[in-house]
Amino acid sequence: MPALDQALRAALTHREPLLAELHSQGTDCYRLFHGSQEGAGGLTLDRYGPQLLVQSFHQSLSREQLLPLAAQCEQALGTALQLVYNDRAQGNSRIDRSDAVYQADAAALSDQIGREWGLNYRVRGRHAGQDPLLFLDLRNARSWVKAHSTGKSVLNLFAYTCGVGLSAAAGGANEVVNLDFAEGNLAVGRENGALNPELPAMQFIQSDYFPAIRQLAGLPINARCGQKLPHYPRLEQRQFDRVFLDPPAWAKSAFGTVDLLRDYQSLLKPAILATAVDGVLICCNNLAKVAMDDWREQVLRCADKLGRPVRDCQVLAPAADFPSSDGQPPLKTLILQF
Ligand SMILES: C[S@@+](CC[C@H](N)C(=O)[O-])C[C@H]1O[C@@H](n2cnc3c(N)ncnc32)[C@H](O)[C@@H]1O
Protein backbone atom coordinates (compact mmCIF):
# COMPACT_ATOMS: atom_id res chain seq x y z
CA MET A 1 0.00 0.00 0.00
CA PRO A 2 2.27 2.79 -1.20
CA ALA A 3 -0.12 5.57 -0.12
CA LEU A 4 -0.09 4.37 3.49
CA ASP A 5 3.70 3.93 3.44
CA GLN A 6 4.06 7.47 2.13
CA ALA A 7 1.68 8.90 4.71
CA LEU A 8 3.65 7.23 7.49
CA ARG A 9 6.94 8.43 6.04
CA ALA A 10 5.65 12.02 6.03
CA ALA A 11 4.38 11.67 9.61
CA LEU A 12 7.72 10.31 10.83
CA THR A 13 9.68 13.05 9.07
CA HIS A 14 7.36 15.71 10.51
CA ARG A 15 7.96 14.35 14.04
CA GLU A 16 11.76 14.29 13.92
CA PRO A 17 12.27 17.49 16.00
CA LEU A 18 9.57 16.55 18.53
CA LEU A 19 10.94 13.03 18.98
CA ALA A 20 14.49 14.31 19.47
CA GLU A 21 13.17 16.63 22.19
CA LEU A 22 11.09 13.93 23.85
CA HIS A 23 13.99 11.44 23.85
CA SER A 24 16.25 14.03 25.47
CA GLN A 25 13.57 14.51 28.18
CA GLY A 26 13.36 10.81 29.04
CA THR A 27 10.14 10.16 27.10
CA ASP A 28 9.67 7.10 24.88
CA CYS A 29 5.86 7.03 24.73
CA TYR A 30 4.30 9.01 21.90
CA ARG A 31 2.11 8.80 18.82
CA LEU A 32 3.95 8.05 15.59
CA PHE A 33 0.97 8.20 13.26
CA HIS A 34 -2.36 9.94 13.90
CA GLY A 35 -4.30 8.57 10.93
CA SER A 36 -7.37 10.81 11.08
CA GLN A 37 -5.17 13.85 10.44
CA GLU A 38 -2.31 12.24 8.52
CA GLY A 39 -3.96 10.39 5.68
CA ALA A 40 -5.45 7.13 7.03
CA GLY A 41 -8.55 7.70 9.17
CA GLY A 42 -9.04 5.06 11.85
CA LEU A 43 -5.39 3.99 12.09
CA THR A 44 -2.97 4.89 14.88
CA LEU A 45 0.63 3.86 15.58
CA ASP A 46 1.97 4.54 19.05
CA ARG A 47 5.28 3.83 20.67
CA TYR A 48 5.05 2.69 24.28
CA GLY A 49 8.66 2.17 25.36
CA PRO A 50 9.86 -1.08 23.76
CA GLN A 51 6.52 -1.65 22.10
CA LEU A 52 4.89 -0.52 18.86
CA LEU A 53 1.11 -0.52 19.30
CA VAL A 54 -0.86 -0.42 16.06
CA GLN A 55 -4.62 0.07 16.34
CA SER A 56 -7.18 0.08 13.55
CA PHE A 57 -10.68 1.36 14.24
CA HIS A 58 -12.38 1.18 10.82
CA GLN A 59 -10.59 -1.27 8.52
CA SER A 60 -8.41 -4.21 9.49
CA LEU A 61 -4.82 -4.34 8.24
CA SER A 62 -3.43 -7.42 6.50
CA ARG A 63 -0.05 -8.86 7.47
CA GLU A 64 1.33 -7.46 4.18
CA GLN A 65 0.22 -3.96 5.18
CA LEU A 66 1.22 -4.21 8.80
CA LEU A 67 4.79 -5.51 8.65
CA PRO A 68 6.20 -2.79 6.33
CA LEU A 69 4.67 -0.10 8.57
CA ALA A 70 6.35 -1.59 11.61
CA ALA A 71 9.67 -1.87 9.74
CA GLN A 72 9.42 1.79 8.73
CA CYS A 73 8.93 2.88 12.36
CA GLU A 74 11.88 0.78 13.53
CA GLN A 75 14.09 2.26 10.84
CA ALA A 76 13.08 5.85 11.60
CA LEU A 77 13.67 5.38 15.34
CA GLY A 78 16.81 3.30 14.89
CA THR A 79 15.57 0.70 17.35
CA ALA A 80 13.78 -2.65 17.32
CA LEU A 81 10.20 -2.53 18.61
CA GLN A 82 7.88 -5.34 19.73
CA LEU A 83 4.79 -5.25 17.55
CA VAL A 84 1.28 -5.52 18.98
CA TYR A 85 -1.62 -5.06 16.56
CA ASN A 86 -5.02 -4.50 18.14
CA ASP A 87 -7.79 -4.45 15.61
CA ARG A 88 -10.71 -2.55 17.09
CA ALA A 89 -12.65 -2.42 13.83
CA GLN A 90 -15.08 -5.15 14.86
CA GLY A 91 -18.66 -4.24 15.75
CA ASN A 92 -18.18 -4.18 19.50
CA SER A 93 -14.76 -2.61 19.15
CA ARG A 94 -13.23 -5.55 21.06
CA ILE A 95 -10.06 -7.17 19.87
CA ASP A 96 -10.47 -9.99 17.36
CA ARG A 97 -7.68 -12.48 17.97
CA SER A 98 -8.67 -15.13 15.45
CA ASP A 99 -6.26 -14.23 12.62
CA ALA A 100 -2.52 -14.90 12.84
CA VAL A 101 -1.85 -11.22 12.17
CA TYR A 102 -3.25 -10.41 15.62
CA GLN A 103 -0.90 -12.79 17.43
CA ALA A 104 1.94 -10.89 19.02
CA ASP A 105 5.13 -12.43 20.48
CA ALA A 106 4.88 -13.47 24.10
CA ALA A 107 7.57 -10.87 24.88
CA ALA A 108 5.48 -8.11 23.33
CA LEU A 109 2.48 -9.11 25.43
CA SER A 110 4.40 -9.32 28.69
CA ASP A 111 4.43 -6.40 31.14
CA GLN A 112 6.64 -3.61 29.86
CA ILE A 113 7.74 -0.19 31.04
CA GLY A 114 7.36 3.03 29.08
CA ARG A 115 8.85 6.37 30.14
CA GLU A 116 7.55 9.93 30.17
CA TRP A 117 9.73 12.71 31.56
CA GLY A 118 11.83 10.12 33.30
CA LEU A 119 8.83 8.53 35.03
CA ASN A 120 8.10 4.83 34.58
CA TYR A 121 4.67 3.71 33.44
CA ARG A 122 3.22 0.22 33.17
CA VAL A 123 2.67 -0.75 29.54
CA ARG A 124 0.54 -3.75 28.51
CA GLY A 125 -0.20 -4.36 24.84
CA ARG A 126 -3.40 -6.18 25.76
CA HIS A 127 -5.35 -6.24 28.96
CA ALA A 128 -8.94 -6.46 30.16
CA GLY A 129 -9.81 -2.94 28.97
CA GLN A 130 -9.77 -1.57 25.44
CA ASP A 131 -7.56 1.51 25.75
CA PRO A 132 -3.82 1.57 26.33
CA LEU A 133 -2.88 2.21 29.95
CA LEU A 134 -1.54 5.71 29.25
CA PHE A 135 -3.42 8.29 27.15
CA LEU A 136 -0.72 9.95 25.06
CA ASP A 137 -2.68 13.07 24.08
CA LEU A 138 -2.78 14.03 27.77
CA ARG A 139 1.04 14.31 27.97
CA ASN A 140 1.05 18.13 27.90
CA ALA A 141 -1.54 18.23 30.68
CA ARG A 142 0.55 15.84 32.80
CA SER A 143 3.51 18.11 32.14
CA TRP A 144 1.56 21.15 33.32
CA VAL A 145 0.57 19.33 36.50
CA LYS A 146 4.17 18.26 37.13
CA ALA A 147 5.36 21.85 36.74
CA HIS A 148 2.66 23.40 38.97
CA SER A 149 2.20 21.04 41.91
CA THR A 150 5.12 21.84 44.22
CA GLY A 151 3.84 21.95 47.80
CA LYS A 152 0.20 21.58 46.65
CA SER A 153 -2.61 19.16 47.42
CA VAL A 154 -3.80 17.46 44.20
CA LEU A 155 -7.09 15.67 43.51
CA ASN A 156 -7.05 13.49 40.37
CA LEU A 157 -10.65 12.71 39.36
CA PHE A 158 -11.51 9.86 36.93
CA ALA A 159 -7.90 8.93 37.61
CA TYR A 160 -7.74 5.78 35.38
CA THR A 161 -4.13 4.55 35.79
CA CYS A 162 -3.15 7.67 37.78
CA GLY A 163 -0.69 9.22 35.31
CA VAL A 164 -1.78 12.71 36.38
CA GLY A 165 -1.33 11.77 40.03
CA LEU A 166 2.13 10.37 39.34
CA SER A 167 3.11 13.59 37.54
CA ALA A 168 1.89 15.63 40.52
CA ALA A 169 3.92 13.46 42.91
CA ALA A 170 6.98 13.91 40.67
CA GLY A 171 6.37 17.65 40.70
CA GLY A 172 6.60 17.81 44.50
CA ALA A 173 2.92 17.78 45.51
CA ASN A 174 2.51 17.39 49.25
CA GLU A 175 -0.57 15.20 48.83
CA VAL A 176 -1.97 13.30 45.83
CA VAL A 177 -5.42 11.69 45.87
CA ASN A 178 -6.49 9.55 42.89
CA LEU A 179 -10.20 8.76 42.57
CA ASP A 180 -11.83 6.24 40.22
CA PHE A 181 -14.57 3.63 40.56
CA ALA A 182 -12.64 0.89 38.73
CA GLU A 183 -10.37 -1.05 41.09
CA GLY A 184 -8.51 -2.57 38.09
CA ASN A 185 -7.51 0.90 36.87
CA LEU A 186 -6.43 2.01 40.32
CA ALA A 187 -4.42 -1.23 40.61
CA VAL A 188 -2.38 -0.12 37.59
CA GLY A 189 -2.05 3.28 39.28
CA ARG A 190 -0.58 1.49 42.30
CA GLU A 191 1.81 -0.38 39.99
CA ASN A 192 2.82 2.94 38.45
CA GLY A 193 3.53 4.25 41.94
CA ALA A 194 5.63 1.16 42.72
CA LEU A 195 7.57 1.59 39.44
CA ASN A 196 8.74 4.99 40.74
CA PRO A 197 9.86 4.16 44.29
CA GLU A 198 11.64 7.51 44.76
CA LEU A 199 8.29 9.36 44.71
CA PRO A 200 6.16 9.96 47.80
CA ALA A 201 3.21 7.57 48.16
CA MET A 202 -0.10 8.54 46.55
CA GLN A 203 -3.59 7.90 47.95
CA PHE A 204 -6.26 5.95 46.09
CA ILE A 205 -10.01 6.20 46.61
CA GLN A 206 -12.20 3.66 44.87
CA SER A 207 -15.53 5.39 44.56
CA ASP A 208 -18.14 6.53 42.11
CA TYR A 209 -17.44 10.13 41.15
CA PHE A 210 -20.78 11.60 42.12
CA PRO A 211 -21.02 10.71 45.84
CA ALA A 212 -17.28 11.33 46.32
CA ILE A 213 -17.12 14.77 44.74
CA ARG A 214 -20.42 15.87 46.26
CA GLN A 215 -19.18 14.99 49.76
CA LEU A 216 -15.89 16.82 49.14
CA ALA A 217 -17.87 19.80 47.85
CA GLY A 218 -20.29 19.76 50.80
CA LEU A 219 -23.33 19.00 48.60
CA PRO A 220 -26.09 16.51 49.47
CA ILE A 221 -26.22 13.08 47.79
CA ASN A 222 -29.70 12.56 46.50
CA ALA A 223 -31.18 9.12 45.80
CA ARG A 224 -33.59 8.89 42.87
CA CYS A 225 -37.24 8.59 43.94
CA GLY A 226 -37.74 5.48 46.04
CA GLN A 227 -34.32 4.00 45.14
CA LYS A 228 -31.76 2.89 47.68
CA LEU A 229 -28.21 4.00 46.89
CA PRO A 230 -25.40 1.43 46.78
CA HIS A 231 -22.64 1.69 49.39
CA TYR A 232 -20.11 4.48 48.90
CA PRO A 233 -17.06 5.50 50.94
CA ARG A 234 -17.64 8.39 53.34
CA LEU A 235 -15.42 11.45 52.82
CA GLU A 236 -15.07 14.73 54.70
CA GLN A 237 -15.82 18.03 52.99
CA ARG A 238 -12.55 19.64 51.88
CA GLN A 239 -10.81 21.51 49.06
CA PHE A 240 -7.63 20.87 47.05
CA ASP A 241 -5.11 23.28 45.50
CA ARG A 242 -5.16 21.42 42.17
CA VAL A 243 -8.15 19.50 40.86
CA PHE A 244 -7.91 17.52 37.62
CA LEU A 245 -11.19 16.60 35.91
CA ASP A 246 -10.90 14.34 32.85
CA PRO A 247 -14.10 12.29 32.58
CA PRO A 248 -15.02 9.72 29.90
CA ALA A 249 -17.39 10.87 27.14
CA TRP A 250 -20.33 8.92 28.59
CA ALA A 251 -20.82 6.58 31.53
CA LYS A 252 -23.83 5.65 33.64
CA SER A 253 -23.80 4.48 37.23
CA ALA A 254 -26.31 4.11 40.06
CA PHE A 255 -25.39 7.64 41.16
CA GLY A 256 -25.67 9.57 37.92
CA THR A 257 -24.69 9.87 34.29
CA VAL A 258 -21.44 11.26 32.94
CA ASP A 259 -22.45 12.97 29.71
CA LEU A 260 -19.92 15.39 28.24
CA LEU A 261 -22.27 16.49 25.46
CA ARG A 262 -25.45 17.25 27.38
CA ASP A 263 -24.42 17.83 30.96
CA TYR A 264 -20.85 18.89 31.72
CA GLN A 265 -22.14 21.15 34.49
CA SER A 266 -23.12 18.40 36.90
CA LEU A 267 -19.53 17.16 36.79
CA LEU A 268 -17.99 20.60 36.88
CA LYS A 269 -19.99 22.29 39.61
CA PRO A 270 -18.88 20.06 42.52
CA ALA A 271 -15.32 19.96 41.12
CA ILE A 272 -15.19 23.77 41.27
CA LEU A 273 -16.48 23.73 44.84
CA ALA A 274 -13.74 21.23 45.76
CA THR A 275 -11.08 23.58 44.35
CA ALA A 276 -9.46 25.92 46.89
CA VAL A 277 -9.65 29.72 46.68
CA ASP A 278 -6.50 30.60 44.68
CA GLY A 279 -6.50 27.01 43.42
CA VAL A 280 -6.51 25.67 39.86
CA LEU A 281 -8.99 23.34 38.18
CA ILE A 282 -7.73 21.60 35.05
CA CYS A 283 -10.72 20.28 33.13
CA CYS A 284 -10.96 18.26 29.92
CA ASN A 285 -13.56 17.37 27.34
CA ASN A 286 -12.54 14.67 24.85
CA LEU A 287 -15.69 14.65 22.76
CA ALA A 288 -14.78 15.70 19.20
CA LYS A 289 -18.23 17.11 18.44
CA VAL A 290 -18.04 19.62 21.30
CA ALA A 291 -16.42 22.84 20.05
CA MET A 292 -13.86 24.53 22.29
CA ASP A 293 -15.59 27.94 22.16
CA ASP A 294 -19.00 26.60 23.22
CA TRP A 295 -17.56 24.42 25.94
CA ARG A 296 -15.34 27.19 27.36
CA GLU A 297 -18.32 29.52 27.53
CA GLN A 298 -20.34 26.88 29.40
CA VAL A 299 -17.49 26.26 31.82
CA LEU A 300 -16.94 29.96 32.58
CA ARG A 301 -20.69 30.56 32.99
CA CYS A 302 -20.96 27.66 35.44
CA ALA A 303 -18.13 29.12 37.56
CA ASP A 304 -19.75 32.58 37.52
CA LYS A 305 -23.11 31.16 38.58
CA LEU A 306 -21.46 29.45 41.53
CA GLY A 307 -19.93 32.73 42.65
CA ARG A 308 -16.44 31.37 41.85
CA PRO A 309 -15.46 33.49 38.81
CA VAL A 310 -12.37 32.35 36.92
CA ARG A 311 -9.48 34.84 37.18
CA ASP A 312 -7.55 33.32 34.28
CA CYS A 313 -8.42 30.68 31.69
CA GLN A 314 -5.73 29.05 29.53
CA VAL A 315 -6.17 26.54 26.73
CA LEU A 316 -3.72 23.65 26.68
CA ALA A 317 -3.45 21.74 23.37
CA PRO A 318 -1.99 18.27 22.89
CA ALA A 319 1.59 18.12 21.55
CA ALA A 320 2.61 17.91 17.89
CA ASP A 321 2.30 14.11 17.78
CA PHE A 322 -1.47 14.80 17.77
CA PRO A 323 -1.66 17.20 14.81
CA SER A 324 -4.96 18.92 14.10
CA SER A 325 -5.41 20.62 10.74
CA ASP A 326 -8.34 22.79 11.92
CA GLY A 327 -6.86 23.59 15.33
CA GLN A 328 -9.76 21.73 16.99
CA PRO A 329 -8.29 18.59 18.57
CA PRO A 330 -10.87 16.24 20.15
CA LEU A 331 -9.15 16.53 23.53
CA LYS A 332 -9.78 20.03 24.88
CA THR A 333 -8.16 21.14 28.14
CA LEU A 334 -8.76 24.32 30.13
CA ILE A 335 -6.66 25.53 33.02
CA LEU A 336 -8.89 27.59 35.29
CA GLN A 337 -7.26 29.78 37.90
CA PHE A 338 -9.63 30.81 40.72
C1 LIG B 1 -11.10 8.65 30.05
S1 LIG B 1 -10.57 7.75 31.47
C2 LIG B 1 -9.81 9.06 32.31
C3 LIG B 1 -8.37 9.23 31.89
C4 LIG B 1 -7.52 9.77 32.99
N1 LIG B 1 -7.92 11.09 33.41
C5 LIG B 1 -6.03 9.74 32.67
O1 LIG B 1 -5.30 10.59 33.18
O2 LIG B 1 -5.59 8.86 31.93
C6 LIG B 1 -12.10 7.52 32.31
C7 LIG B 1 -12.01 6.91 33.72
O3 LIG B 1 -13.22 7.24 34.38
C8 LIG B 1 -13.61 6.18 35.22
N2 LIG B 1 -15.05 6.37 35.49
C9 LIG B 1 -16.07 6.37 34.61
N3 LIG B 1 -17.24 6.67 35.23
C10 LIG B 1 -16.94 6.87 36.54
C11 LIG B 1 -17.71 7.23 37.68
N4 LIG B 1 -19.03 7.43 37.62
N5 LIG B 1 -17.07 7.38 38.85
C12 LIG B 1 -15.73 7.18 38.95
N6 LIG B 1 -14.95 6.85 37.90
C13 LIG B 1 -15.55 6.69 36.71
C14 LIG B 1 -13.23 4.94 34.47
O4 LIG B 1 -13.05 3.85 35.34
C15 LIG B 1 -11.90 5.39 33.80
O5 LIG B 1 -10.81 5.04 34.59
Side-chain angles (χ1 to χ4, degrees):
M1 251 204 151
L4 190 50
D5 287 348
Q6 270 170 23
L8 177 60
R9 197 170 311 282
L12 292 170
T13 304
H14 180 72
R15 279 166 177 68
E16 276 170 12
L18 173 72
L19 298 192
E21 193 187 328
L22 291 175
H23 293 159
S24 74
Q25 294 166 339
T27 297
D28 63 12
C29 297
Y30 38 73
R31 178 147 293 184
L32 291 165
F33 185 66
H34 189 51
S36 64
Q37 299 288 310
E38 298 187 289
L43 179 66
T44 59
L45 276 71
D46 295 319
R47 178 178 182 188
Y48 281 98
Q51 196 176 81
L52 176 67
L53 177 65
V54 179
Q55 298 184 93
S56 57
F57 296 83
H58 302 337
Q59 276 185 323
S60 306
L61 291 179
S62 65
R63 177 166 282 265
E64 294 66 42
Q65 291 171 311
L66 182 64
L67 297 183
L69 296 181
Q72 221 188 115
C73 292
E74 289 186 324
Q75 198 190 12
L77 295 172
T79 186
L81 294 170
Q82 299 165 346
L83 174 63
V84 177
Y85 171 39
N86 289 343
D87 180 26
R88 297 170 64 175
Q90 310 302 320
N92 65 2
S93 163
R94 287 275 167 190
I95 299 156
D96 175 0
R97 299 169 194 219
S98 54
D99 190 293
V101 77
Y102 307 115
Q103 311 300 321
D105 290 349
L109 294 180
S110 64
D111 283 359
Q112 307 280 357
I113 293 174
R115 305 191 85 222
E116 185 179 88
W117 284 298
L119 296 175
N120 296 323
Y121 285 92
R122 173 58 73 221
V123 167
R124 271 187 198 113
R126 286 182 192 148
H127 58 97
Q130 296 185 37
D131 292 314
L133 298 179
L134 186 68
F135 286 109
L136 299 175
D137 53 353
L138 211 62
R139 185 191 322 113
N140 275 354
R142 284 187 290 270
S143 165
W144 191 96
V145 168
K146 185 163 175 274
H148 296 87
S149 293
T150 315
K152 307 292 182 191
S153 56
V154 179
L155 175 63
N156 181 21
L157 299 163
F158 299 97
Y160 190 46
T161 54
C162 308
V164 169
L166 200 71
S167 305
N174 62 18
E175 182 185 14
V176 178
V177 177
N178 296 292
L179 189 140
D180 201 287
F181 68 6
E183 177 47 36
N185 295 344
L186 291 177
V188 179
R190 287 193 183 90
E191 273 185 68
N192 283 335
L195 288 172
N196 297 275
E198 71 289 358
L199 298 184
M202 303 187 282
Q203 297 169 53
F204 302 88
I205 299 177
Q206 187 193 353
S207 171
D208 191 279
Y209 175 73
F210 291 103
I213 196 71
R214 292 185 72 85
Q215 289 178 87
L216 293 171
L219 297 171
I221 298 162
N222 304 319
R224 288 199 196 108
C225 271
Q227 280 181 17
K228 200 171 167 304
L229 288 174
H231 166 81
Y232 56 86
R234 297 299 192 262
L235 301 171
E236 294 293 320
Q237 179 179 354
R238 64 164 292 191
Q239 293 184 318
F240 291 80
D241 302 315
R242 305 282 179 261
V243 175
F244 197 94
L245 175 65
D246 176 28
W250 196 89
K252 197 173 164 67
S253 74
F255 295 92
T257 303
V258 175
D259 184 344
L260 299 198
L261 182 63
R262 286 170 208 85
D263 188 12
Y264 200 86
Q265 282 91 323
S266 62
L267 304 173
L268 185 63
K269 181 178 154 183
I272 292 176
L273 294 174
T275 307
V277 175
D278 286 333
V280 178
L281 172 67
I282 304 99
C283 58
C284 304
N285 190 325
N286 61 34
L287 207 59
K289 61 184 158 196
V290 172
M292 170 59 95
D293 288 350
D294 298 341
W295 178 60
R296 178 173 39 202
E297 201 186 306
Q298 244 182 53
V299 165
L300 296 179
R301 200 172 339 116
C302 177
D304 276 345
K305 272 181 32 193
L306 276 175
R308 295 288 308 274
V310 171
R311 282 199 287 131
D312 185 59
C313 172
Q314 259 183 60
V315 174
L316 190 67
D321 51 339
F322 286 80
S324 156
S325 53
D326 61 357
Q328 300 279 337
L331 177 66
K332 296 160 284 293
T333 303
L334 292 174
I335 299 172
L336 309 175
Q337 172 81 55
F338 290 98

